[in-house]
Amino acid sequence: MCNLSHSLGKYAAVFSLAACFTFGAFPAQGGANPITPKSPKVPMDTYEWIQASPRTSYYFNKKYICYQTNSDGTVDVNLLRIPILRTYDCIQIADIIAKRRWHRQKWEGLDDLLAAEANNVTIDCEKRTVTIRDSILLTETFGHLYDEPSGRVIELDKLSEQSLERRFFESILQYAQDNPDKLIANTKGSLTEADQKKLVATKKAEDKQRKAIEKAKKRPVTTD
């Protein structure tokens, strides 16, 4: 099984500041305690950017995406293991703090929030379900503020096709389908011959479909 636990910490030193924040964090008990301007500069050799909403940007870690390894050391190509990263703007940070205070959750130190959250995720390719095992709130130096269990299960086909969450995880599934060799290289375990043939066949089918689409685009458009 690939090692996910150190994936963010290993790259903590390469993150720096990127968007101006003018919105203040909620103070402890009165008194101003503004959010320090922060801008995470995400290393694109490690993370793949997928999309952004007005409040959040979505990334996954392409250096640590891998297949699940079973207890007997064999690889399960139906299960993906992957760290993901979401960076937030100042309004989202303030909202996170406000909600945690409202629900009487820990919020001390969140004025140092980087506006980023990292989750370790398992994706079942056949069932199209996503299990988020935990959430990690990070400081501006990518130190851990709070590590919290989640256990949330997302059924992709029950989400709207316009859902940002669905689009995000479907992009990861597509990346895995397009890059089986990279995932195998990241995975510690033995790939069965049957799974090896399955991956090769899937990749060939994808390449054939892609070439057909590209060929169709190159055809001259005729009009009557």
Side-chain angles (χ1 to χ4, degrees), residues 133-170:
R133 299 192 306 279
D134 55 37
S135 296
I136 307 166
L137 296 182
L138 305 169
T139 69
E140 60 184 271
T141 58
F142 269 65
H144 289 191
L145 282 168
Y146 297 115
D147 294 15
E148 299 173 328
S150 173
R152 182 183 173 215
V153 177
I154 304 166
E155 297 182 53
L156 296 180
D157 292 330
K158 289 188 176 181
L159 299 178
S160 164
E161 291 185 0
Q162 285 72 44
S163 165
L164 285 173
E165 200 162 46
R166 176 169 175 166
R167 290 180 181 179
F168 176 50
F169 290 116
E170 285 184 335

PDB file of all heavy atoms in Angstrom, residues 133-170:
ATOM      1  N   ARG A 133     -11.818   9.150   4.747  1.00  0.00           N
ATOM      2  CA  ARG A 133     -11.512   8.578   6.056  1.00  0.00           C
ATOM      3  C   ARG A 133     -11.259   9.636   7.120  1.00  0.00           C
ATOM      4  O   ARG A 133     -11.584   9.433   8.286  1.00  0.00           O
ATOM      5  CB  ARG A 133     -10.292   7.649   5.951  1.00  0.00           C
ATOM      6  CG  ARG A 133     -10.513   6.474   5.003  1.00  0.00           C
ATOM      7  CD  ARG A 133      -9.423   5.438   5.163  1.00  0.00           C
ATOM      8  NE  ARG A 133      -8.089   6.004   5.025  1.00  0.00           N
ATOM      9  CZ  ARG A 133      -7.508   6.258   3.850  1.00  0.00           C
ATOM     10  NH1 ARG A 133      -8.156   6.034   2.728  1.00  0.00           N
ATOM     11  NH2 ARG A 133      -6.286   6.752   3.802  1.00  0.00           N
ATOM     12  N   ASP A 134     -10.627  10.732   6.752  1.00  0.00           N
ATOM     13  CA  ASP A 134     -10.364  11.775   7.739  1.00  0.00           C
ATOM     14  C   ASP A 134     -10.165  13.117   7.049  1.00  0.00           C
ATOM     15  O   ASP A 134     -10.013  13.184   5.836  1.00  0.00           O
ATOM     16  CB  ASP A 134      -9.135  11.435   8.594  1.00  0.00           C
ATOM     17  CG  ASP A 134      -7.899  11.160   7.754  1.00  0.00           C
ATOM     18  OD1 ASP A 134      -7.714  11.827   6.718  1.00  0.00           O
ATOM     19  OD2 ASP A 134      -7.115  10.282   8.119  1.00  0.00           O
ATOM     20  N   SER A 135     -10.227  14.175   7.847  1.00  0.00           N
ATOM     21  CA  SER A 135      -9.993  15.529   7.351  1.00  0.00           C
ATOM     22  C   SER A 135      -8.872  16.147   8.169  1.00  0.00           C
ATOM     23  O   SER A 135      -8.775  15.918   9.368  1.00  0.00           O
ATOM     24  CB  SER A 135     -11.258  16.381   7.474  1.00  0.00           C
ATOM     25  OG  SER A 135     -12.280  15.865   6.655  1.00  0.00           O
ATOM     26  N   ILE A 136      -8.041  16.935   7.518  1.00  0.00           N
ATOM     27  CA  ILE A 136      -6.907  17.561   8.190  1.00  0.00           C
ATOM     28  C   ILE A 136      -6.918  19.050   7.875  1.00  0.00           C
ATOM     29  O   ILE A 136      -6.814  19.441   6.710  1.00  0.00           O
ATOM     30  CB  ILE A 136      -5.572  16.955   7.719  1.00  0.00           C
ATOM     31  CG1 ILE A 136      -5.584  15.429   7.845  1.00  0.00           C
ATOM     32  CG2 ILE A 136      -4.398  17.529   8.522  1.00  0.00           C
ATOM     33  CD1 ILE A 136      -4.452  14.750   7.111  1.00  0.00           C
ATOM     34  N   LEU A 137      -7.064  19.870   8.898  1.00  0.00           N
ATOM     35  CA  LEU A 137      -6.969  21.318   8.715  1.00  0.00           C
ATOM     36  C   LEU A 137      -5.517  21.728   8.922  1.00  0.00           C
ATOM     37  O   LEU A 137      -4.872  21.297   9.881  1.00  0.00           O
ATOM     38  CB  LEU A 137      -7.888  22.040   9.702  1.00  0.00           C
ATOM     39  CG  LEU A 137      -9.385  21.775   9.534  1.00  0.00           C
ATOM     40  CD1 LEU A 137     -10.188  22.589  10.551  1.00  0.00           C
ATOM     41  CD2 LEU A 137      -9.853  22.118   8.125  1.00  0.00           C
ATOM     42  N   LEU A 138      -5.007  22.571   8.041  1.00  0.00           N
ATOM     43  CA  LEU A 138      -3.584  22.882   7.988  1.00  0.00           C
ATOM     44  C   LEU A 138      -3.304  24.356   8.247  1.00  0.00           C
ATOM     45  O   LEU A 138      -4.093  25.218   7.879  1.00  0.00           O
ATOM     46  CB  LEU A 138      -3.024  22.509   6.613  1.00  0.00           C
ATOM     47  CG  LEU A 138      -3.257  21.061   6.173  1.00  0.00           C
ATOM     48  CD1 LEU A 138      -2.898  20.899   4.709  1.00  0.00           C
ATOM     49  CD2 LEU A 138      -2.487  20.107   7.039  1.00  0.00           C
ATOM     50  N   THR A 139      -2.145  24.634   8.844  1.00  0.00           N
ATOM     51  CA  THR A 139      -1.709  26.006   9.071  1.00  0.00           C
ATOM     52  C   THR A 139      -1.052  26.556   7.815  1.00  0.00           C
ATOM     53  O   THR A 139      -0.850  25.846   6.833  1.00  0.00           O
ATOM     54  CB  THR A 139      -0.689  26.076  10.217  1.00  0.00           C
ATOM     55  OG1 THR A 139       0.536  25.447   9.782  1.00  0.00           O
ATOM     56  CG2 THR A 139      -1.203  25.371  11.464  1.00  0.00           C
ATOM     57  N   GLU A 140      -0.656  27.827   7.876  1.00  0.00           N
ATOM     58  CA  GLU A 140      -0.020  28.451   6.717  1.00  0.00           C
ATOM     59  C   GLU A 140       1.348  27.841   6.419  1.00  0.00           C
ATOM     60  O   GLU A 140       1.877  28.001   5.319  1.00  0.00           O
ATOM     61  CB  GLU A 140       0.115  29.963   6.909  1.00  0.00           C
ATOM     62  CG  GLU A 140       0.943  30.370   8.102  1.00  0.00           C
ATOM     63  CD  GLU A 140       0.942  31.880   8.288  1.00  0.00           C
ATOM     64  OE1 GLU A 140       1.813  32.531   7.693  1.00  0.00           O
ATOM     65  OE2 GLU A 140       0.063  32.387   8.988  1.00  0.00           O
ATOM     66  N   THR A 141       1.942  27.118   7.368  1.00  0.00           N
ATOM     67  CA  THR A 141       3.203  26.407   7.123  1.00  0.00           C
ATOM     68  C   THR A 141       2.950  24.925   6.885  1.00  0.00           C
ATOM     69  O   THR A 141       3.868  24.128   6.884  1.00  0.00           O
ATOM     70  CB  THR A 141       4.164  26.576   8.315  1.00  0.00           C
ATOM     71  OG1 THR A 141       3.530  26.084   9.504  1.00  0.00           O
ATOM     72  CG2 THR A 141       4.550  28.025   8.498  1.00  0.00           C
ATOM     73  N   PHE A 142       1.680  24.567   6.685  1.00  0.00           N
ATOM     74  CA  PHE A 142       1.235  23.201   6.447  1.00  0.00           C
ATOM     75  C   PHE A 142       1.450  22.274   7.632  1.00  0.00           C
ATOM     76  O   PHE A 142       1.555  21.059   7.479  1.00  0.00           O
ATOM     77  CB  PHE A 142       1.848  22.625   5.166  1.00  0.00           C
ATOM     78  CG  PHE A 142       0.973  22.888   3.977  1.00  0.00           C
ATOM     79  CD1 PHE A 142       0.750  24.181   3.555  1.00  0.00           C
ATOM     80  CD2 PHE A 142       0.345  21.863   3.316  1.00  0.00           C
ATOM     81  CE1 PHE A 142      -0.080  24.453   2.484  1.00  0.00           C
ATOM     82  CE2 PHE A 142      -0.494  22.113   2.237  1.00  0.00           C
ATOM     83  CZ  PHE A 142      -0.701  23.411   1.825  1.00  0.00           C
ATOM     84  N   GLY A 143       1.497  22.868   8.824  1.00  0.00           N
ATOM     85  CA  GLY A 143       1.420  22.046  10.020  1.00  0.00           C
ATOM     86  C   GLY A 143      -0.032  21.659  10.266  1.00  0.00           C
ATOM     87  O   GLY A 143      -0.958  22.326   9.796  1.00  0.00           O
ATOM     88  N   HIS A 144      -0.247  20.586  11.028  1.00  0.00           N
ATOM     89  CA  HIS A 144      -1.599  20.097  11.276  1.00  0.00           C
ATOM     90  C   HIS A 144      -2.240  20.851  12.442  1.00  0.00           C
ATOM     91  O   HIS A 144      -1.690  20.911  13.533  1.00  0.00           O
ATOM     92  CB  HIS A 144      -1.570  18.601  11.595  1.00  0.00           C
ATOM     93  CG  HIS A 144      -1.234  17.759  10.399  1.00  0.00           C
ATOM     94  ND1 HIS A 144      -1.373  16.398  10.398  1.00  0.00           N
ATOM     95  CD2 HIS A 144      -0.784  18.093   9.165  1.00  0.00           C
ATOM     96  CE1 HIS A 144      -1.014  15.922   9.220  1.00  0.00           C
ATOM     97  NE2 HIS A 144      -0.646  16.936   8.464  1.00  0.00           N
ATOM     98  N   LEU A 145      -3.400  21.420  12.195  1.00  0.00           N
ATOM     99  CA  LEU A 145      -4.186  22.033  13.262  1.00  0.00           C
ATOM    100  C   LEU A 145      -5.080  20.986  13.916  1.00  0.00           C
ATOM    101  O   LEU A 145      -5.011  20.753  15.111  1.00  0.00           O
ATOM    102  CB  LEU A 145      -5.043  23.172  12.696  1.00  0.00           C
ATOM    103  CG  LEU A 145      -4.326  24.485  12.421  1.00  0.00           C
ATOM    104  CD1 LEU A 145      -5.215  25.405  11.608  1.00  0.00           C
ATOM    105  CD2 LEU A 145      -3.928  25.147  13.727  1.00  0.00           C
ATOM    106  N   TYR A 146      -5.932  20.360  13.126  1.00  0.00           N
ATOM    107  CA  TYR A 146      -6.849  19.348  13.646  1.00  0.00           C
ATOM    108  C   TYR A 146      -6.938  18.180  12.665  1.00  0.00           C
ATOM    109  O   TYR A 146      -7.141  18.386  11.469  1.00  0.00           O
ATOM    110  CB  TYR A 146      -8.250  19.936  13.860  1.00  0.00           C
ATOM    111  CG  TYR A 146      -8.307  21.038  14.876  1.00  0.00           C
ATOM    112  CD1 TYR A 146      -8.638  22.336  14.501  1.00  0.00           C
ATOM    113  CD2 TYR A 146      -8.021  20.795  16.216  1.00  0.00           C
ATOM    114  CE1 TYR A 146      -8.684  23.365  15.422  1.00  0.00           C
ATOM    115  CE2 TYR A 146      -8.063  21.816  17.147  1.00  0.00           C
ATOM    116  CZ  TYR A 146      -8.391  23.100  16.743  1.00  0.00           C
ATOM    117  OH  TYR A 146      -8.439  24.109  17.660  1.00  0.00           O
ATOM    118  N   ASP A 147      -6.764  16.967  13.171  1.00  0.00           N
ATOM    119  CA  ASP A 147      -7.004  15.756  12.398  1.00  0.00           C
ATOM    120  C   ASP A 147      -8.292  15.134  12.927  1.00  0.00           C
ATOM    121  O   ASP A 147      -8.393  14.844  14.118  1.00  0.00           O
ATOM    122  CB  ASP A 147      -5.857  14.755  12.581  1.00  0.00           C
ATOM    123  CG  ASP A 147      -4.545  15.265  11.988  1.00  0.00           C
ATOM    124  OD1 ASP A 147      -4.465  16.471  11.711  1.00  0.00           O
ATOM    125  OD2 ASP A 147      -3.636  14.450  11.818  1.00  0.00           O
ATOM    126  N   GLU A 148      -9.260  14.954  12.053  1.00  0.00           N
ATOM    127  CA  GLU A 148     -10.564  14.487  12.508  1.00  0.00           C
ATOM    128  C   GLU A 148     -11.062  13.328  11.662  1.00  0.00           C
ATOM    129  O   GLU A 148     -10.965  13.368  10.433  1.00  0.00           O
ATOM    130  CB  GLU A 148     -11.577  15.640  12.445  1.00  0.00           C
ATOM    131  CG  GLU A 148     -11.177  16.811  13.330  1.00  0.00           C
ATOM    132  CD  GLU A 148     -12.087  18.017  13.146  1.00  0.00           C
ATOM    133  OE1 GLU A 148     -12.590  18.207  12.025  1.00  0.00           O
ATOM    134  OE2 GLU A 148     -12.285  18.744  14.117  1.00  0.00           O
ATOM    135  N   PRO A 149     -11.602  12.276  12.294  1.00  0.00           N
ATOM    136  CA  PRO A 149     -12.173  11.163  11.514  1.00  0.00           C
ATOM    137  C   PRO A 149     -13.423  11.624  10.784  1.00  0.00           C
ATOM    138  O   PRO A 149     -14.151  12.494  11.245  1.00  0.00           O
ATOM    139  CB  PRO A 149     -12.503  10.119  12.589  1.00  0.00           C
ATOM    140  CG  PRO A 149     -12.678  10.915  13.847  1.00  0.00           C
ATOM    141  CD  PRO A 149     -11.745  12.074  13.746  1.00  0.00           C
ATOM    142  N   SER A 150     -13.663  11.045   9.631  1.00  0.00           N
ATOM    143  CA  SER A 150     -14.834  11.407   8.853  1.00  0.00           C
ATOM    144  C   SER A 150     -15.709  10.192   8.581  1.00  0.00           C
ATOM    145  O   SER A 150     -16.814  10.094   9.096  1.00  0.00           O
ATOM    146  CB  SER A 150     -14.415  12.061   7.527  1.00  0.00           C
ATOM    147  OG  SER A 150     -15.538  12.271   6.699  1.00  0.00           O
ATOM    148  N   GLY A 151     -15.211   9.249   7.771  1.00  0.00           N
ATOM    149  CA  GLY A 151     -16.007   8.086   7.421  1.00  0.00           C
ATOM    150  C   GLY A 151     -17.151   8.406   6.473  1.00  0.00           C
ATOM    151  O   GLY A 151     -18.037   7.587   6.248  1.00  0.00           O
ATOM    152  N   ARG A 152     -17.121   9.596   5.878  1.00  0.00           N
ATOM    153  CA  ARG A 152     -18.178   9.994   4.947  1.00  0.00           C
ATOM    154  C   ARG A 152     -18.104   9.175   3.664  1.00  0.00           C
ATOM    155  O   ARG A 152     -17.027   8.972   3.108  1.00  0.00           O
ATOM    156  CB  ARG A 152     -18.038  11.482   4.625  1.00  0.00           C
ATOM    157  CG  ARG A 152     -19.117  12.017   3.702  1.00  0.00           C
ATOM    158  CD  ARG A 152     -18.864  13.475   3.369  1.00  0.00           C
ATOM    159  NE  ARG A 152     -19.805  13.948   2.366  1.00  0.00           N
ATOM    160  CZ  ARG A 152     -19.523  14.832   1.423  1.00  0.00           C
ATOM    161  NH1 ARG A 152     -18.315  15.360   1.363  1.00  0.00           N
ATOM    162  NH2 ARG A 152     -20.428  15.217   0.552  1.00  0.00           N
ATOM    163  N   VAL A 153     -19.246   8.699   3.190  1.00  0.00           N
ATOM    164  CA  VAL A 153     -19.322   7.939   1.952  1.00  0.00           C
ATOM    165  C   VAL A 153     -20.157   8.726   0.941  1.00  0.00           C
ATOM    166  O   VAL A 153     -21.276   9.142   1.240  1.00  0.00           O
ATOM    167  CB  VAL A 153     -19.930   6.541   2.159  1.00  0.00           C
ATOM    168  CG1 VAL A 153     -20.052   5.810   0.824  1.00  0.00           C
ATOM    169  CG2 VAL A 153     -19.084   5.733   3.140  1.00  0.00           C
ATOM    170  N   ILE A 154     -19.601   8.943  -0.248  1.00  0.00           N
ATOM    171  CA  ILE A 154     -20.275   9.700  -1.309  1.00  0.00           C
ATOM    172  C   ILE A 154     -20.616   8.738  -2.447  1.00  0.00           C
ATOM    173  O   ILE A 154     -19.732   8.040  -2.953  1.00  0.00           O
ATOM    174  CB  ILE A 154     -19.361  10.816  -1.845  1.00  0.00           C
ATOM    175  CG1 ILE A 154     -18.912  11.740  -0.709  1.00  0.00           C
ATOM    176  CG2 ILE A 154     -20.067  11.614  -2.932  1.00  0.00           C
ATOM    177  CD1 ILE A 154     -17.750  12.642  -1.092  1.00  0.00           C
ATOM    178  N   GLU A 155     -21.878   8.702  -2.835  1.00  0.00           N
ATOM    179  CA  GLU A 155     -22.295   7.915  -3.992  1.00  0.00           C
ATOM    180  C   GLU A 155     -22.386   8.863  -5.185  1.00  0.00           C
ATOM    181  O   GLU A 155     -23.301   9.688  -5.272  1.00  0.00           O
ATOM    182  CB  GLU A 155     -23.641   7.237  -3.719  1.00  0.00           C
ATOM    183  CG  GLU A 155     -23.590   6.242  -2.563  1.00  0.00           C
ATOM    184  CD  GLU A 155     -24.929   5.548  -2.347  1.00  0.00           C
ATOM    185  OE1 GLU A 155     -25.469   4.984  -3.317  1.00  0.00           O
ATOM    186  OE2 GLU A 155     -25.420   5.575  -1.204  1.00  0.00           O
ATOM    187  N   LEU A 156     -21.430   8.748  -6.082  1.00  0.00           N
ATOM    188  CA  LEU A 156     -21.296   9.724  -7.163  1.00  0.00           C
ATOM    189  C   LEU A 156     -22.533   9.818  -8.045  1.00  0.00           C
ATOM    190  O   LEU A 156     -22.932  10.904  -8.463  1.00  0.00           O
ATOM    191  CB  LEU A 156     -20.071   9.391  -8.023  1.00  0.00           C
ATOM    192  CG  LEU A 156     -18.710   9.485  -7.324  1.00  0.00           C
ATOM    193  CD1 LEU A 156     -17.600   9.136  -8.297  1.00  0.00           C
ATOM    194  CD2 LEU A 156     -18.498  10.876  -6.740  1.00  0.00           C
ATOM    195  N   ASP A 157     -23.155   8.683  -8.333  1.00  0.00           N
ATOM    196  CA  ASP A 157     -24.301   8.692  -9.248  1.00  0.00           C
ATOM    197  C   ASP A 157     -25.556   9.292  -8.618  1.00  0.00           C
ATOM    198  O   ASP A 157     -26.544   9.522  -9.334  1.00  0.00           O
ATOM    199  CB  ASP A 157     -24.589   7.265  -9.735  1.00  0.00           C
ATOM    200  CG  ASP A 157     -23.482   6.747 -10.635  1.00  0.00           C
ATOM    201  OD1 ASP A 157     -22.844   7.573 -11.322  1.00  0.00           O
ATOM    202  OD2 ASP A 157     -23.234   5.529 -10.642  1.00  0.00           O
ATOM    203  N   LYS A 158     -25.532   9.539  -7.308  1.00  0.00           N
ATOM    204  CA  LYS A 158     -26.664  10.195  -6.655  1.00  0.00           C
ATOM    205  C   LYS A 158     -26.491  11.706  -6.631  1.00  0.00           C
ATOM    206  O   LYS A 158     -27.402  12.434  -6.226  1.00  0.00           O
ATOM    207  CB  LYS A 158     -26.850   9.653  -5.233  1.00  0.00           C
ATOM    208  CG  LYS A 158     -27.375   8.224  -5.195  1.00  0.00           C
ATOM    209  CD  LYS A 158     -27.730   7.801  -3.778  1.00  0.00           C
ATOM    210  CE  LYS A 158     -28.341   6.398  -3.759  1.00  0.00           C
ATOM    211  NZ  LYS A 158     -28.713   5.976  -2.387  1.00  0.00           N
ATOM    212  N   LEU A 159     -25.304  12.172  -7.046  1.00  0.00           N
ATOM    213  CA  LEU A 159     -25.056  13.607  -7.112  1.00  0.00           C
ATOM    214  C   LEU A 159     -25.457  14.139  -8.482  1.00  0.00           C
ATOM    215  O   LEU A 159     -25.436  13.417  -9.482  1.00  0.00           O
ATOM    216  CB  LEU A 159     -23.576  13.908  -6.872  1.00  0.00           C
ATOM    217  CG  LEU A 159     -22.983  13.489  -5.534  1.00  0.00           C
ATOM    218  CD1 LEU A 159     -21.494  13.824  -5.496  1.00  0.00           C
ATOM    219  CD2 LEU A 159     -23.705  14.177  -4.381  1.00  0.00           C
ATOM    220  N   SER A 160     -25.815  15.394  -8.526  1.00  0.00           N
ATOM    221  CA  SER A 160     -26.123  16.042  -9.794  1.00  0.00           C
ATOM    222  C   SER A 160     -24.901  16.013 -10.706  1.00  0.00           C
ATOM    223  O   SER A 160     -23.760  16.092 -10.237  1.00  0.00           O
ATOM    224  CB  SER A 160     -26.547  17.490  -9.546  1.00  0.00           C
ATOM    225  OG  SER A 160     -26.491  18.243 -10.724  1.00  0.00           O
ATOM    226  N   GLU A 161     -25.137  15.926 -12.014  1.00  0.00           N
ATOM    227  CA  GLU A 161     -24.030  15.947 -12.959  1.00  0.00           C
ATOM    228  C   GLU A 161     -23.293  17.278 -12.925  1.00  0.00           C
ATOM    229  O   GLU A 161     -22.151  17.376 -13.381  1.00  0.00           O
ATOM    230  CB  GLU A 161     -24.538  15.662 -14.377  1.00  0.00           C
ATOM    231  CG  GLU A 161     -25.020  14.231 -14.568  1.00  0.00           C
ATOM    232  CD  GLU A 161     -25.396  13.929 -16.010  1.00  0.00           C
ATOM    233  OE1 GLU A 161     -25.277  14.853 -16.850  1.00  0.00           O
ATOM    234  OE2 GLU A 161     -25.808  12.793 -16.290  1.00  0.00           O
ATOM    235  N   GLN A 162     -23.942  18.311 -12.408  1.00  0.00           N
ATOM    236  CA  GLN A 162     -23.313  19.624 -12.284  1.00  0.00           C
ATOM    237  C   GLN A 162     -22.566  19.787 -10.950  1.00  0.00           C
ATOM    238  O   GLN A 162     -21.914  20.810 -10.722  1.00  0.00           O
ATOM    239  CB  GLN A 162     -24.358  20.741 -12.402  1.00  0.00           C
ATOM    240  CG  GLN A 162     -24.854  20.991 -13.818  1.00  0.00           C
ATOM    241  CD  GLN A 162     -25.760  19.886 -14.320  1.00  0.00           C
ATOM    242  OE1 GLN A 162     -26.638  19.428 -13.586  1.00  0.00           O
ATOM    243  NE2 GLN A 162     -25.557  19.447 -15.554  1.00  0.00           N
ATOM    244  N   SER A 163     -22.659  18.778 -10.090  1.00  0.00           N
ATOM    245  CA  SER A 163     -22.023  18.857  -8.780  1.00  0.00           C
ATOM    246  C   SER A 163     -20.511  18.966  -8.919  1.00  0.00           C
ATOM    247  O   SER A 163     -19.877  18.173  -9.618  1.00  0.00           O
ATOM    248  CB  SER A 163     -22.369  17.608  -7.950  1.00  0.00           C
ATOM    249  OG  SER A 163     -21.519  17.484  -6.836  1.00  0.00           O
ATOM    250  N   LEU A 164     -19.915  19.954  -8.241  1.00  0.00           N
ATOM    251  CA  LEU A 164     -18.466  20.110  -8.264  1.00  0.00           C
ATOM    252  C   LEU A 164     -17.781  18.893  -7.659  1.00  0.00           C
ATOM    253  O   LEU A 164     -16.724  18.466  -8.131  1.00  0.00           O
ATOM    254  CB  LEU A 164     -18.057  21.373  -7.503  1.00  0.00           C
ATOM    255  CG  LEU A 164     -18.298  22.702  -8.200  1.00  0.00           C
ATOM    256  CD1 LEU A 164     -17.990  23.854  -7.254  1.00  0.00           C
ATOM    257  CD2 LEU A 164     -17.450  22.826  -9.463  1.00  0.00           C
ATOM    258  N   GLU A 165     -18.388  18.342  -6.623  1.00  0.00           N
ATOM    259  CA  GLU A 165     -17.805  17.175  -5.968  1.00  0.00           C
ATOM    260  C   GLU A 165     -17.788  15.980  -6.917  1.00  0.00           C
ATOM    261  O   GLU A 165     -16.791  15.263  -7.017  1.00  0.00           O
ATOM    262  CB  GLU A 165     -18.594  16.844  -4.699  1.00  0.00           C
ATOM    263  CG  GLU A 165     -17.841  15.989  -3.724  1.00  0.00           C
ATOM    264  CD  GLU A 165     -18.457  16.058  -2.334  1.00  0.00           C
ATOM    265  OE1 GLU A 165     -19.687  15.951  -2.211  1.00  0.00           O
ATOM    266  OE2 GLU A 165     -17.697  16.206  -1.368  1.00  0.00           O
ATOM    267  N   ARG A 166     -18.899  15.769  -7.636  1.00  0.00           N
ATOM    268  CA  ARG A 166     -18.951  14.665  -8.598  1.00  0.00           C
ATOM    269  C   ARG A 166     -17.925  14.873  -9.713  1.00  0.00           C
ATOM    270  O   ARG A 166     -17.202  13.935 -10.087  1.00  0.00           O
ATOM    271  CB  ARG A 166     -20.357  14.552  -9.189  1.00  0.00           C
ATOM    272  CG  ARG A 166     -20.467  13.491 -10.283  1.00  0.00           C
ATOM    273  CD  ARG A 166     -21.900  13.213 -10.666  1.00  0.00           C
ATOM    274  NE  ARG A 166     -21.993  12.277 -11.795  1.00  0.00           N
ATOM    275  CZ  ARG A 166     -23.096  11.655 -12.162  1.00  0.00           C
ATOM    276  NH1 ARG A 166     -24.234  11.874 -11.504  1.00  0.00           N
ATOM    277  NH2 ARG A 166     -23.091  10.821 -13.183  1.00  0.00           N
ATOM    278  N   ARG A 167     -17.855  16.068 -10.257  1.00  0.00           N
ATOM    279  CA  ARG A 167     -16.898  16.346 -11.330  1.00  0.00           C
ATOM    280  C   ARG A 167     -15.464  16.122 -10.862  1.00  0.00           C
ATOM    281  O   ARG A 167     -14.614  15.617 -11.617  1.00  0.00           O
ATOM    282  CB  ARG A 167     -17.063  17.782 -11.810  1.00  0.00           C
ATOM    283  CG  ARG A 167     -18.342  18.057 -12.584  1.00  0.00           C
ATOM    284  CD  ARG A 167     -18.391  19.501 -13.003  1.00  0.00           C
ATOM    285  NE  ARG A 167     -19.600  19.834 -13.724  1.00  0.00           N
ATOM    286  CZ  ARG A 167     -19.891  21.041 -14.176  1.00  0.00           C
ATOM    287  NH1 ARG A 167     -19.049  22.040 -13.955  1.00  0.00           N
ATOM    288  NH2 ARG A 167     -21.020  21.258 -14.824  1.00  0.00           N
ATOM    289  N   PHE A 168     -15.189  16.501  -9.634  1.00  0.00           N
ATOM    290  CA  PHE A 168     -13.849  16.359  -9.076  1.00  0.00           C
ATOM    291  C   PHE A 168     -13.428  14.895  -9.034  1.00  0.00           C
ATOM    292  O   PHE A 168     -12.378  14.512  -9.569  1.00  0.00           O
ATOM    293  CB  PHE A 168     -13.821  16.976  -7.675  1.00  0.00           C
ATOM    294  CG  PHE A 168     -12.512  16.820  -6.951  1.00  0.00           C
ATOM    295  CD1 PHE A 168     -11.315  17.163  -7.553  1.00  0.00           C
ATOM    296  CD2 PHE A 168     -12.488  16.356  -5.646  1.00  0.00           C
ATOM    297  CE1 PHE A 168     -10.101  17.033  -6.879  1.00  0.00           C
ATOM    298  CE2 PHE A 168     -11.290  16.226  -4.962  1.00  0.00           C
ATOM    299  CZ  PHE A 168     -10.094  16.566  -5.571  1.00  0.00           C
ATOM    300  N   PHE A 169     -14.265  14.049  -8.425  1.00  0.00           N
ATOM    301  CA  PHE A 169     -13.891  12.646  -8.280  1.00  0.00           C
ATOM    302  C   PHE A 169     -13.955  11.895  -9.610  1.00  0.00           C
ATOM    303  O   PHE A 169     -13.188  10.955  -9.833  1.00  0.00           O
ATOM    304  CB  PHE A 169     -14.756  11.979  -7.210  1.00  0.00           C
ATOM    305  CG  PHE A 169     -14.447  12.463  -5.820  1.00  0.00           C
ATOM    306  CD1 PHE A 169     -15.386  13.156  -5.071  1.00  0.00           C
ATOM    307  CD2 PHE A 169     -13.195  12.236  -5.269  1.00  0.00           C
ATOM    308  CE1 PHE A 169     -15.088  13.613  -3.802  1.00  0.00           C
ATOM    309  CE2 PHE A 169     -12.880  12.698  -3.994  1.00  0.00           C
ATOM    310  CZ  PHE A 169     -13.828  13.387  -3.260  1.00  0.00           C
ATOM    311  N   GLU A 170     -14.838  12.307 -10.503  1.00  0.00           N
ATOM    312  CA  GLU A 170     -14.856  11.683 -11.823  1.00  0.00           C
ATOM    313  C   GLU A 170     -13.589  12.030 -12.606  1.00  0.00           C
ATOM    314  O   GLU A 170     -13.097  11.210 -13.401  1.00  0.00           O
ATOM    315  CB  GLU A 170     -16.102  12.110 -12.598  1.00  0.00           C
ATOM    316  CG  GLU A 170     -17.366  11.419 -12.110  1.00  0.00           C
ATOM    317  CD  GLU A 170     -18.603  11.746 -12.927  1.00  0.00           C
ATOM    318  OE1 GLU A 170     -18.613  12.831 -13.562  1.00  0.00           O
ATOM    319  OE2 GLU A 170     -19.538  10.936 -12.923  1.00  0.00           O
TER     320      GLU A 170
END
